[in-house]
Amino acid sequence: MIVRNLREAVTTGRRIRSKGWESTRLLLKDDKAGFSFHITTIYRGAELPMHYRNHIESVYCITGYGEVETAADGKVYPVAPGTLYVLDQHDQHILRAETEMVMACVFNPPL
């Protein structure tokens, strides 16, 4: 069994920071669970073009407001607490944060 605490994990190398976001990676490839699990914060005002060529990502919004746009067709979807979006076609997308957003993310295969 694997048991981890988010408050403890943010003080370790599992917390990754970049321009516009930070992510605490609670479950990674080395854990051999078949997926990875992250709590990611998108900073207010961030506009992040993203593309995962080798991973399917599922994103659940816990707090905050923003939108996700699919690059292929320019379709924009609002993101609010309770919203789930899945990049099941390796979708190139742009994530925009109106407010700070806290997201639960699952990747397969794991990061």
Side-chain angles (χ1 to χ4, degrees):
M1 177 183 289
I2 298 168
V3 177
R4 296 204 171 99
N5 179 285
L6 180 61
R7 288 185 185 163
E8 292 170 5
V10 298
T11 66
T12 71
R14 290 183 172 273
R15 183 180 185 192
I16 307 298
R17 293 186 223 182
S18 190
K19 184 178 179 183
W21 61 271
E22 68 178 67
S23 184
T24 302
R25 298 165 175 192
L26 292 168
L27 196 63
L28 289 166
K29 182 178 182 177
D30 291 345
D31 294 311
K32 299 183 186 337
F35 62 93
S36 59
F37 182 80
H38 315 237
I39 298 297
T40 299
T41 300
I42 309 299
Y43 303 138
R44 179 180 184 208
E47 183 168 323
L48 306 172
M50 298 184 194
H51 188 202
Y52 300 107
R53 290 180 181 91
N54 302 309
H55 304 277
I56 302 294
E57 183 189 19
S58 174
V59 179
Y60 178 80
C61 181
I62 299 168
T63 63
Y65 296 88
E67 64 185 23
V68 62
E69 177 181 345
T70 50
D73 60 11
K75 205 165 184 184
V76 176
Y77 303 89
V79 177
T83 301
L84 172 78
Y85 66 88
V86 181
L87 302 158
D88 61 334
Q89 302 299 311
H90 305 283
D91 311 79
Q92 202 167 355
H93 61 290
I94 302 166
L95 181 60
R96 296 182 188 96
E98 180 182 326
T99 67
E100 181 176 279
M101 298 166 49
V102 176
M103 320 288 262
C105 307
V106 175
F107 286 86
N108 187 9
L111 298 180

mmCIF file with all atom_site columns, all heavy atoms in Angstrom, residues 75-97:
data_model
loop_
_atom_site.group_PDB
_atom_site.id
_atom_site.type_symbol
_atom_site.label_atom_id
_atom_site.label_alt_id
_atom_site.label_comp_id
_atom_site.label_asym_id
_atom_site.label_entity_id
_atom_site.label_seq_id
_atom_site.pdbx_PDB_ins_code
_atom_site.Cartn_x
_atom_site.Cartn_y
_atom_site.Cartn_z
_atom_site.occupancy
_atom_site.B_iso_or_equiv
_atom_site.pdbx_formal_charge
_atom_site.auth_seq_id
_atom_site.auth_comp_id
_atom_site.auth_asym_id
_atom_site.auth_atom_id
_atom_site.pdbx_PDB_model_num
ATOM 1   N N   . LYS A 1 75 ? -12.415 25.383 -29.990 1.00 0.00 ? 75 LYS A N   1
ATOM 2   C CA  . LYS A 1 75 ? -13.562 25.267 -29.095 1.00 0.00 ? 75 LYS A CA  1
ATOM 3   C C   . LYS A 1 75 ? -13.110 25.550 -27.663 1.00 0.00 ? 75 LYS A C   1
ATOM 4   O O   . LYS A 1 75 ? -12.081 25.037 -27.205 1.00 0.00 ? 75 LYS A O   1
ATOM 5   C CB  . LYS A 1 75 ? -14.147 23.868 -29.200 1.00 0.00 ? 75 LYS A CB  1
ATOM 6   C CG  . LYS A 1 75 ? -15.591 23.792 -28.833 1.00 0.00 ? 75 LYS A CG  1
ATOM 7   C CD  . LYS A 1 75 ? -16.188 22.475 -29.304 1.00 0.00 ? 75 LYS A CD  1
ATOM 8   C CE  . LYS A 1 75 ? -17.669 22.497 -29.004 1.00 0.00 ? 75 LYS A CE  1
ATOM 9   N NZ  . LYS A 1 75 ? -18.311 21.242 -29.347 1.00 0.00 ? 75 LYS A NZ  1
ATOM 10  N N   . VAL A 1 76 ? -13.888 26.366 -26.950 1.00 0.00 ? 76 VAL A N   1
ATOM 11  C CA  . VAL A 1 76 ? -13.550 26.775 -25.591 1.00 0.00 ? 76 VAL A CA  1
ATOM 12  C C   . VAL A 1 76 ? -14.567 26.183 -24.617 1.00 0.00 ? 76 VAL A C   1
ATOM 13  O O   . VAL A 1 76 ? -15.777 26.288 -24.834 1.00 0.00 ? 76 VAL A O   1
ATOM 14  C CB  . VAL A 1 76 ? -13.523 28.320 -25.472 1.00 0.00 ? 76 VAL A CB  1
ATOM 15  C CG1 . VAL A 1 76 ? -13.259 28.747 -24.031 1.00 0.00 ? 76 VAL A CG1 1
ATOM 16  C CG2 . VAL A 1 76 ? -12.480 28.903 -26.417 1.00 0.00 ? 76 VAL A CG2 1
ATOM 17  N N   . TYR A 1 77 ? -14.039 25.574 -23.555 1.00 0.00 ? 77 TYR A N   1
ATOM 18  C CA  . TYR A 1 77 ? -14.875 24.958 -22.532 1.00 0.00 ? 77 TYR A CA  1
ATOM 19  C C   . TYR A 1 77 ? -14.608 25.632 -21.192 1.00 0.00 ? 77 TYR A C   1
ATOM 20  O O   . TYR A 1 77 ? -13.449 25.744 -20.783 1.00 0.00 ? 77 TYR A O   1
ATOM 21  C CB  . TYR A 1 77 ? -14.548 23.465 -22.407 1.00 0.00 ? 77 TYR A CB  1
ATOM 22  C CG  . TYR A 1 77 ? -14.709 22.702 -23.688 1.00 0.00 ? 77 TYR A CG  1
ATOM 23  C CD1 . TYR A 1 77 ? -13.652 22.588 -24.589 1.00 0.00 ? 77 TYR A CD1 1
ATOM 24  C CD2 . TYR A 1 77 ? -15.921 22.100 -24.005 1.00 0.00 ? 77 TYR A CD2 1
ATOM 25  C CE1 . TYR A 1 77 ? -13.795 21.888 -25.769 1.00 0.00 ? 77 TYR A CE1 1
ATOM 26  C CE2 . TYR A 1 77 ? -16.074 21.389 -25.186 1.00 0.00 ? 77 TYR A CE2 1
ATOM 27  C CZ  . TYR A 1 77 ? -15.010 21.290 -26.066 1.00 0.00 ? 77 TYR A CZ  1
ATOM 28  O OH  . TYR A 1 77 ? -15.155 20.593 -27.243 1.00 0.00 ? 77 TYR A OH  1
ATOM 29  N N   . PRO A 1 78 ? -15.649 26.068 -20.495 1.00 0.00 ? 78 PRO A N   1
ATOM 30  C CA  . PRO A 1 78 ? -15.434 26.653 -19.168 1.00 0.00 ? 78 PRO A CA  1
ATOM 31  C C   . PRO A 1 78 ? -14.984 25.581 -18.175 1.00 0.00 ? 78 PRO A C   1
ATOM 32  O O   . PRO A 1 78 ? -15.401 24.425 -18.266 1.00 0.00 ? 78 PRO A O   1
ATOM 33  C CB  . PRO A 1 78 ? -16.807 27.210 -18.783 1.00 0.00 ? 78 PRO A CB  1
ATOM 34  C CG  . PRO A 1 78 ? -17.790 26.503 -19.643 1.00 0.00 ? 78 PRO A CG  1
ATOM 35  C CD  . PRO A 1 78 ? -17.062 26.046 -20.873 1.00 0.00 ? 78 PRO A CD  1
ATOM 36  N N   . VAL A 1 79 ? -14.131 25.984 -17.254 1.00 0.00 ? 79 VAL A N   1
ATOM 37  C CA  . VAL A 1 79 ? -13.658 25.094 -16.192 1.00 0.00 ? 79 VAL A CA  1
ATOM 38  C C   . VAL A 1 79 ? -14.002 25.757 -14.864 1.00 0.00 ? 79 VAL A C   1
ATOM 39  O O   . VAL A 1 79 ? -13.666 26.919 -14.638 1.00 0.00 ? 79 VAL A O   1
ATOM 40  C CB  . VAL A 1 79 ? -12.138 24.841 -16.304 1.00 0.00 ? 79 VAL A CB  1
ATOM 41  C CG1 . VAL A 1 79 ? -11.648 23.983 -15.146 1.00 0.00 ? 79 VAL A CG1 1
ATOM 42  C CG2 . VAL A 1 79 ? -11.789 24.194 -17.644 1.00 0.00 ? 79 VAL A CG2 1
ATOM 43  N N   . ALA A 1 80 ? -14.690 25.015 -14.010 1.00 0.00 ? 80 ALA A N   1
ATOM 44  C CA  . ALA A 1 80 ? -15.124 25.500 -12.697 1.00 0.00 ? 80 ALA A CA  1
ATOM 45  C C   . ALA A 1 80 ? -15.081 24.315 -11.738 1.00 0.00 ? 80 ALA A C   1
ATOM 46  O O   . ALA A 1 80 ? -14.928 23.169 -12.178 1.00 0.00 ? 80 ALA A O   1
ATOM 47  C CB  . ALA A 1 80 ? -16.549 26.056 -12.803 1.00 0.00 ? 80 ALA A CB  1
ATOM 48  N N   . PRO A 1 81 ? -15.214 24.554 -10.440 1.00 0.00 ? 81 PRO A N   1
ATOM 49  C CA  . PRO A 1 81 ? -15.218 23.434 -9.505  1.00 0.00 ? 81 PRO A CA  1
ATOM 50  C C   . PRO A 1 81 ? -16.239 22.371 -9.927  1.00 0.00 ? 81 PRO A C   1
ATOM 51  O O   . PRO A 1 81 ? -17.378 22.688 -10.266 1.00 0.00 ? 81 PRO A O   1
ATOM 52  C CB  . PRO A 1 81 ? -15.610 24.084 -8.173  1.00 0.00 ? 81 PRO A CB  1
ATOM 53  C CG  . PRO A 1 81 ? -15.091 25.484 -8.306  1.00 0.00 ? 81 PRO A CG  1
ATOM 54  C CD  . PRO A 1 81 ? -15.344 25.844 -9.752  1.00 0.00 ? 81 PRO A CD  1
ATOM 55  N N   . GLY A 1 82 ? -15.777 21.134 -9.971  1.00 0.00 ? 82 GLY A N   1
ATOM 56  C CA  . GLY A 1 82 ? -16.635 20.028 -10.380 1.00 0.00 ? 82 GLY A CA  1
ATOM 57  C C   . GLY A 1 82 ? -16.490 19.640 -11.845 1.00 0.00 ? 82 GLY A C   1
ATOM 58  O O   . GLY A 1 82 ? -17.005 18.615 -12.264 1.00 0.00 ? 82 GLY A O   1
ATOM 59  N N   . THR A 1 83 ? -15.755 20.431 -12.639 1.00 0.00 ? 83 THR A N   1
ATOM 60  C CA  . THR A 1 83 ? -15.554 20.126 -14.054 1.00 0.00 ? 83 THR A CA  1
ATOM 61  C C   . THR A 1 83 ? -14.448 19.089 -14.227 1.00 0.00 ? 83 THR A C   1
ATOM 62  O O   . THR A 1 83 ? -13.388 19.202 -13.617 1.00 0.00 ? 83 THR A O   1
ATOM 63  C CB  . THR A 1 83 ? -15.159 21.398 -14.841 1.00 0.00 ? 83 THR A CB  1
ATOM 64  O OG1 . THR A 1 83 ? -16.179 22.379 -14.701 1.00 0.00 ? 83 THR A OG1 1
ATOM 65  C CG2 . THR A 1 83 ? -14.935 21.093 -16.312 1.00 0.00 ? 83 THR A CG2 1
ATOM 66  N N   . LEU A 1 84 ? -14.703 18.115 -15.079 1.00 0.00 ? 84 LEU A N   1
ATOM 67  C CA  . LEU A 1 84 ? -13.702 17.138 -15.492 1.00 0.00 ? 84 LEU A CA  1
ATOM 68  C C   . LEU A 1 84 ? -13.506 17.282 -16.990 1.00 0.00 ? 84 LEU A C   1
ATOM 69  O O   . LEU A 1 84 ? -14.481 17.370 -17.737 1.00 0.00 ? 84 LEU A O   1
ATOM 70  C CB  . LEU A 1 84 ? -14.182 15.715 -15.201 1.00 0.00 ? 84 LEU A CB  1
ATOM 71  C CG  . LEU A 1 84 ? -13.305 14.589 -15.773 1.00 0.00 ? 84 LEU A CG  1
ATOM 72  C CD1 . LEU A 1 84 ? -12.067 14.390 -14.918 1.00 0.00 ? 84 LEU A CD1 1
ATOM 73  C CD2 . LEU A 1 84 ? -14.090 13.301 -15.902 1.00 0.00 ? 84 LEU A CD2 1
ATOM 74  N N   . TYR A 1 85 ? -12.248 17.351 -17.435 1.00 0.00 ? 85 TYR A N   1
ATOM 75  C CA  . TYR A 1 85 ? -11.976 17.228 -18.866 1.00 0.00 ? 85 TYR A CA  1
ATOM 76  C C   . TYR A 1 85 ? -10.871 16.204 -19.064 1.00 0.00 ? 85 TYR A C   1
ATOM 77  O O   . TYR A 1 85 ? -9.997  16.029 -18.222 1.00 0.00 ? 85 TYR A O   1
ATOM 78  C CB  . TYR A 1 85 ? -11.671 18.573 -19.532 1.00 0.00 ? 85 TYR A CB  1
ATOM 79  C CG  . TYR A 1 85 ? -10.413 19.279 -19.113 1.00 0.00 ? 85 TYR A CG  1
ATOM 80  C CD1 . TYR A 1 85 ? -9.192  19.031 -19.746 1.00 0.00 ? 85 TYR A CD1 1
ATOM 81  C CD2 . TYR A 1 85 ? -10.441 20.238 -18.104 1.00 0.00 ? 85 TYR A CD2 1
ATOM 82  C CE1 . TYR A 1 85 ? -8.043  19.716 -19.379 1.00 0.00 ? 85 TYR A CE1 1
ATOM 83  C CE2 . TYR A 1 85 ? -9.292  20.921 -17.731 1.00 0.00 ? 85 TYR A CE2 1
ATOM 84  C CZ  . TYR A 1 85 ? -8.095  20.651 -18.376 1.00 0.00 ? 85 TYR A CZ  1
ATOM 85  O OH  . TYR A 1 85 ? -6.959  21.323 -18.019 1.00 0.00 ? 85 TYR A OH  1
ATOM 86  N N   . VAL A 1 86 ? -10.975 15.485 -20.181 1.00 0.00 ? 86 VAL A N   1
ATOM 87  C CA  . VAL A 1 86 ? -10.042 14.408 -20.479 1.00 0.00 ? 86 VAL A CA  1
ATOM 88  C C   . VAL A 1 86 ? -9.456  14.644 -21.860 1.00 0.00 ? 86 VAL A C   1
ATOM 89  O O   . VAL A 1 86 ? -10.186 14.798 -22.835 1.00 0.00 ? 86 VAL A O   1
ATOM 90  C CB  . VAL A 1 86 ? -10.746 13.031 -20.429 1.00 0.00 ? 86 VAL A CB  1
ATOM 91  C CG1 . VAL A 1 86 ? -9.758  11.909 -20.717 1.00 0.00 ? 86 VAL A CG1 1
ATOM 92  C CG2 . VAL A 1 86 ? -11.424 12.818 -19.078 1.00 0.00 ? 86 VAL A CG2 1
ATOM 93  N N   . LEU A 1 87 ? -8.147  14.669 -21.928 1.00 0.00 ? 87 LEU A N   1
ATOM 94  C CA  . LEU A 1 87 ? -7.431  14.859 -23.189 1.00 0.00 ? 87 LEU A CA  1
ATOM 95  C C   . LEU A 1 87 ? -7.165  13.478 -23.780 1.00 0.00 ? 87 LEU A C   1
ATOM 96  O O   . LEU A 1 87 ? -6.043  12.989 -23.810 1.00 0.00 ? 87 LEU A O   1
ATOM 97  C CB  . LEU A 1 87 ? -6.150  15.654 -22.929 1.00 0.00 ? 87 LEU A CB  1
ATOM 98  C CG  . LEU A 1 87 ? -6.453  17.018 -22.282 1.00 0.00 ? 87 LEU A CG  1
ATOM 99  C CD1 . LEU A 1 87 ? -5.253  17.553 -21.555 1.00 0.00 ? 87 LEU A CD1 1
ATOM 100 C CD2 . LEU A 1 87 ? -6.971  17.979 -23.318 1.00 0.00 ? 87 LEU A CD2 1
ATOM 101 N N   . ASP A 1 88 ? -8.249  12.849 -24.245 1.00 0.00 ? 88 ASP A N   1
ATOM 102 C CA  . ASP A 1 88 ? -8.206  11.451 -24.675 1.00 0.00 ? 88 ASP A CA  1
ATOM 103 C C   . ASP A 1 88 ? -7.709  11.252 -26.102 1.00 0.00 ? 88 ASP A C   1
ATOM 104 O O   . ASP A 1 88 ? -7.521  10.118 -26.533 1.00 0.00 ? 88 ASP A O   1
ATOM 105 C CB  . ASP A 1 88 ? -9.571  10.799 -24.496 1.00 0.00 ? 88 ASP A CB  1
ATOM 106 C CG  . ASP A 1 88 ? -10.655 11.456 -25.322 1.00 0.00 ? 88 ASP A CG  1
ATOM 107 O OD1 . ASP A 1 88 ? -10.533 12.655 -25.645 1.00 0.00 ? 88 ASP A OD1 1
ATOM 108 O OD2 . ASP A 1 88 ? -11.629 10.761 -25.653 1.00 0.00 ? 88 ASP A OD2 1
ATOM 109 N N   . GLN A 1 89 ? -7.492  12.337 -26.823 1.00 0.00 ? 89 GLN A N   1
ATOM 110 C CA  . GLN A 1 89 ? -6.977  12.264 -28.188 1.00 0.00 ? 89 GLN A CA  1
ATOM 111 C C   . GLN A 1 89 ? -5.614  12.943 -28.295 1.00 0.00 ? 89 GLN A C   1
ATOM 112 O O   . GLN A 1 89 ? -5.238  13.404 -29.368 1.00 0.00 ? 89 GLN A O   1
ATOM 113 C CB  . GLN A 1 89 ? -7.968  12.922 -29.160 1.00 0.00 ? 89 GLN A CB  1
ATOM 114 C CG  . GLN A 1 89 ? -9.354  12.323 -29.143 1.00 0.00 ? 89 GLN A CG  1
ATOM 115 C CD  . GLN A 1 89 ? -9.357  10.860 -29.538 1.00 0.00 ? 89 GLN A CD  1
ATOM 116 O OE1 . GLN A 1 89 ? -8.767  10.487 -30.556 1.00 0.00 ? 89 GLN A OE1 1
ATOM 117 N NE2 . GLN A 1 89 ? -9.979  10.027 -28.730 1.00 0.00 ? 89 GLN A NE2 1
ATOM 118 N N   . HIS A 1 90 ? -4.913  13.021 -27.156 1.00 0.00 ? 90 HIS A N   1
ATOM 119 C CA  . HIS A 1 90 ? -3.628  13.722 -27.098 1.00 0.00 ? 90 HIS A CA  1
ATOM 120 C C   . HIS A 1 90 ? -3.819  15.163 -27.592 1.00 0.00 ? 90 HIS A C   1
ATOM 121 O O   . HIS A 1 90 ? -2.983  15.708 -28.295 1.00 0.00 ? 90 HIS A O   1
ATOM 122 C CB  . HIS A 1 90 ? -2.550  12.995 -27.902 1.00 0.00 ? 90 HIS A CB  1
ATOM 123 C CG  . HIS A 1 90 ? -2.373  11.571 -27.491 1.00 0.00 ? 90 HIS A CG  1
ATOM 124 N ND1 . HIS A 1 90 ? -1.687  11.218 -26.351 1.00 0.00 ? 90 HIS A ND1 1
ATOM 125 C CD2 . HIS A 1 90 ? -2.819  10.417 -28.039 1.00 0.00 ? 90 HIS A CD2 1
ATOM 126 C CE1 . HIS A 1 90 ? -1.715  9.897  -26.223 1.00 0.00 ? 90 HIS A CE1 1
ATOM 127 N NE2 . HIS A 1 90 ? -2.392  9.401  -27.231 1.00 0.00 ? 90 HIS A NE2 1
ATOM 128 N N   . ASP A 1 91 ? -4.943  15.753 -27.199 1.00 0.00 ? 91 ASP A N   1
ATOM 129 C CA  . ASP A 1 91 ? -5.350  17.069 -27.682 1.00 0.00 ? 91 ASP A CA  1
ATOM 130 C C   . ASP A 1 91 ? -4.350  18.163 -27.331 1.00 0.00 ? 91 ASP A C   1
ATOM 131 O O   . ASP A 1 91 ? -4.002  18.339 -26.167 1.00 0.00 ? 91 ASP A O   1
ATOM 132 C CB  . ASP A 1 91 ? -6.702  17.465 -27.062 1.00 0.00 ? 91 ASP A CB  1
ATOM 133 C CG  . ASP A 1 91 ? -7.750  16.380 -27.165 1.00 0.00 ? 91 ASP A CG  1
ATOM 134 O OD1 . ASP A 1 91 ? -7.685  15.439 -26.350 1.00 0.00 ? 91 ASP A OD1 1
ATOM 135 O OD2 . ASP A 1 91 ? -8.612  16.468 -28.040 1.00 0.00 ? 91 ASP A OD2 1
ATOM 136 N N   . GLN A 1 92 ? -3.945  18.899 -28.331 1.00 0.00 ? 92 GLN A N   1
ATOM 137 C CA  . GLN A 1 92 ? -3.179  20.118 -28.103 1.00 0.00 ? 92 GLN A CA  1
ATOM 138 C C   . GLN A 1 92 ? -4.194  21.126 -27.567 1.00 0.00 ? 92 GLN A C   1
ATOM 139 O O   . GLN A 1 92 ? -5.298  21.258 -28.117 1.00 0.00 ? 92 GLN A O   1
ATOM 140 C CB  . GLN A 1 92 ? -2.584  20.588 -29.423 1.00 0.00 ? 92 GLN A CB  1
ATOM 141 C CG  . GLN A 1 92 ? -1.403  21.471 -29.267 1.00 0.00 ? 92 GLN A CG  1
ATOM 142 C CD  . GLN A 1 92 ? -0.658  21.648 -30.587 1.00 0.00 ? 92 GLN A CD  1
ATOM 143 O OE1 . GLN A 1 92 ? -0.983  21.031 -31.599 1.00 0.00 ? 92 GLN A OE1 1
ATOM 144 N NE2 . GLN A 1 92 ? 0.330   22.501 -30.566 1.00 0.00 ? 92 GLN A NE2 1
ATOM 145 N N   . HIS A 1 93 ? -3.839  21.830 -26.488 1.00 0.00 ? 93 HIS A N   1
ATOM 146 C CA  . HIS A 1 93 ? -4.825  22.699 -25.843 1.00 0.00 ? 93 HIS A CA  1
ATOM 147 C C   . HIS A 1 93 ? -4.152  23.884 -25.158 1.00 0.00 ? 93 HIS A C   1
ATOM 148 O O   . HIS A 1 93 ? -2.932  23.903 -24.978 1.00 0.00 ? 93 HIS A O   1
ATOM 149 C CB  . HIS A 1 93 ? -5.655  21.902 -24.836 1.00 0.00 ? 93 HIS A CB  1
ATOM 150 C CG  . HIS A 1 93 ? -4.853  21.295 -23.726 1.00 0.00 ? 93 HIS A CG  1
ATOM 151 N ND1 . HIS A 1 93 ? -3.981  20.244 -23.912 1.00 0.00 ? 93 HIS A ND1 1
ATOM 152 C CD2 . HIS A 1 93 ? -4.783  21.596 -22.410 1.00 0.00 ? 93 HIS A CD2 1
ATOM 153 C CE1 . HIS A 1 93 ? -3.415  19.925 -22.757 1.00 0.00 ? 93 HIS A CE1 1
ATOM 154 N NE2 . HIS A 1 93 ? -3.877  20.735 -21.827 1.00 0.00 ? 93 HIS A NE2 1
ATOM 155 N N   . ILE A 1 94 ? -5.003  24.840 -24.785 1.00 0.00 ? 94 ILE A N   1
ATOM 156 C CA  . ILE A 1 94 ? -4.550  26.014 -24.036 1.00 0.00 ? 94 ILE A CA  1
ATOM 157 C C   . ILE A 1 94 ? -5.410  26.094 -22.785 1.00 0.00 ? 94 ILE A C   1
ATOM 158 O O   . ILE A 1 94 ? -6.644  26.126 -22.876 1.00 0.00 ? 94 ILE A O   1
ATOM 159 C CB  . ILE A 1 94 ? -4.691  27.308 -24.855 1.00 0.00 ? 94 ILE A CB  1
ATOM 160 C CG1 . ILE A 1 94 ? -3.896  27.196 -26.159 1.00 0.00 ? 94 ILE A CG1 1
ATOM 161 C CG2 . ILE A 1 94 ? -4.229  28.516 -24.028 1.00 0.00 ? 94 ILE A CG2 1
ATOM 162 C CD1 . ILE A 1 94 ? -4.231  28.273 -27.168 1.00 0.00 ? 94 ILE A CD1 1
ATOM 163 N N   . LEU A 1 95 ? -4.776  26.127 -21.633 1.00 0.00 ? 95 LEU A N   1
ATOM 164 C CA  . LEU A 1 95 ? -5.478  26.265 -20.364 1.00 0.00 ? 95 LEU A CA  1
ATOM 165 C C   . LEU A 1 95 ? -5.289  27.695 -19.873 1.00 0.00 ? 95 LEU A C   1
ATOM 166 O O   . LEU A 1 95 ? -4.162  28.188 -19.818 1.00 0.00 ? 95 LEU A O   1
ATOM 167 C CB  . LEU A 1 95 ? -4.925  25.268 -19.345 1.00 0.00 ? 95 LEU A CB  1
ATOM 168 C CG  . LEU A 1 95 ? -5.573  25.259 -17.971 1.00 0.00 ? 95 LEU A CG  1
ATOM 169 C CD1 . LEU A 1 95 ? -7.066  24.936 -18.065 1.00 0.00 ? 95 LEU A CD1 1
ATOM 170 C CD2 . LEU A 1 95 ? -4.865  24.249 -17.070 1.00 0.00 ? 95 LEU A CD2 1
ATOM 171 N N   . ARG A 1 96 ? -6.404  28.351 -19.556 1.00 0.00 ? 96 ARG A N   1
ATOM 172 C CA  . ARG A 1 96 ? -6.368  29.724 -19.061 1.00 0.00 ? 96 ARG A CA  1
ATOM 173 C C   . ARG A 1 96 ? -7.033  29.791 -17.687 1.00 0.00 ? 96 ARG A C   1
ATOM 174 O O   . ARG A 1 96 ? -8.112  29.246 -17.500 1.00 0.00 ? 96 ARG A O   1
ATOM 175 C CB  . ARG A 1 96 ? -7.113  30.654 -20.018 1.00 0.00 ? 96 ARG A CB  1
ATOM 176 C CG  . ARG A 1 96 ? -6.488  30.746 -21.378 1.00 0.00 ? 96 ARG A CG  1
ATOM 177 C CD  . ARG A 1 96 ? -7.253  31.727 -22.292 1.00 0.00 ? 96 ARG A CD  1
ATOM 178 N NE  . ARG A 1 96 ? -6.725  31.646 -23.631 1.00 0.00 ? 96 ARG A NE  1
ATOM 179 C CZ  . ARG A 1 96 ? -7.241  30.907 -24.609 1.00 0.00 ? 96 ARG A CZ  1
ATOM 180 N NH1 . ARG A 1 96 ? -8.324  30.183 -24.382 1.00 0.00 ? 96 ARG A NH1 1
ATOM 181 N NH2 . ARG A 1 96 ? -6.691  30.884 -25.802 1.00 0.00 ? 96 ARG A NH2 1
ATOM 182 N N   . ALA A 1 97 ? -6.377  30.482 -16.771 1.00 0.00 ? 97 ALA A N   1
ATOM 183 C CA  . ALA A 1 97 ? -6.894  30.593 -15.399 1.00 0.00 ? 97 ALA A CA  1
ATOM 184 C C   . ALA A 1 97 ? -7.384  32.009 -15.133 1.00 0.00 ? 97 ALA A C   1
ATOM 185 O O   . ALA A 1 97 ? -6.601  32.953 -15.125 1.00 0.00 ? 97 ALA A O   1
ATOM 186 C CB  . ALA A 1 97 ? -5.813  30.225 -14.395 1.00 0.00 ? 97 ALA A CB  1
#
